[in-house]
Amino acid sequence: MSRVKAVLDGVLRAICVTLFALLVVLVTWQVFTRLVLDNPNVWTEEAAKNVFIWLSLIGISIATGEKADVVMDFLVRKLPVAGQRVTESLAYLATIAFVLVVMVWGGWHQASMAWGQTHPVLPLTAGQLYLAVPVAGVLMGLYLLYHLARTLMPSWVGIPDIDPEEEVEV
């Protein structure tokens, strides 16, 4: 599972770098055409907005994979190790439920309802642009399942248990 996660991490990072570069190009072109040519392109603003949404949601998925989310664990750290595992598992299960219901199911429902709506400026439908939510939901769900498995069965995932207090040399 660790190798699959490493490959997924690399692919998502490459996608984010590409989307960020595209966002920079789109915004630069929009500023140039607006301020220098005095003839702004309408499509660049819409494209930049949608690229930003995809970039943000895929970036959140990467952050979930790296456990870079905001955690207030000062109370959890006072529990015994078994209590910490139970608490962490419950948190993962609650987050997985949210991701599956709201992002995957709700996002897919929204995208399918808007699939036939043509975008006034871009050559895509609104449903295609809304796919960012269920795609990010699936990615986050995979990462959360990975972390849940690591919490419950660290040897099965192939990663040794790491003490969060222990410093790791890079």
Side-chain angles (χ1 to χ4, degrees):
M1 270 182 81
S2 298
R3 288 185 183 149
V4 172
K5 181 185 178 297
V7 169
L8 183 60
D9 289 345
V11 169
L12 292 179
R13 284 189 185 114
I15 289 171
C16 276
V17 167
T18 304
L19 287 174
F20 188 75
L22 179 60
L23 183 63
V24 168
V25 168
L26 287 170
V27 171
T28 302
W29 182 251
Q30 175 66 17
V31 169
F32 177 75
T33 58
R34 181 177 299 206
L35 298 178
V36 176
L37 301 179
D38 199 26
N39 186 16
N41 284 335
V42 178
W43 68 271
T44 55
E45 185 175 346
E46 287 297 314
K49 188 184 331 179
N50 287 293
V51 167
F52 181 73
I53 290 168
W54 275 89
L55 176 65
S56 299
L57 288 173
I58 292 175
I60 290 169
S61 300
I62 293 170
T64 301
E66 294 178 356
K67 293 182 80 169
D69 51 355
V70 176
V71 177
M72 293 188 208
D73 63 348
F74 54 90
L75 291 177
V76 175
R77 287 183 184 243
K78 295 182 186 235
L79 295 173
V81 174
Q84 290 179 13
R85 286 187 191 267
V86 168
T87 305
E88 192 170 316
S89 298
L90 289 174
Y92 284 134
L93 289 171
T95 308
I96 289 168
F98 172 82
V99 164
L100 289 177
V101 171
V102 174
M103 294 184 75
V104 176
W105 181 79
W108 180 258
H109 182 68
Q110 183 65 31
S112 62
M113 283 182 13
W115 198 260
Q117 295 177 1
T118 58
H119 197 280
V121 179
L122 299 175
L124 300 169
T125 67
Q128 291 167 333
L129 298 172
Y130 292 164
L131 277 178
V133 175
V135 167
V138 168
L139 293 170
M140 288 176 66
L142 290 173
Y143 280 126
L144 290 166
L145 286 172
Y146 172 82
H147 292 312
L148 179 64
R150 184 173 180 228
T151 300
L152 295 175
M153 304 170 284
S155 60
W156 179 69
V157 179
I159 298 175
D161 243 354
I162 298 173
D163 182 14
E165 298 295 323
E166 185 178 302
E167 287 191 28
V168 178
E169 291 185 31
V170 180

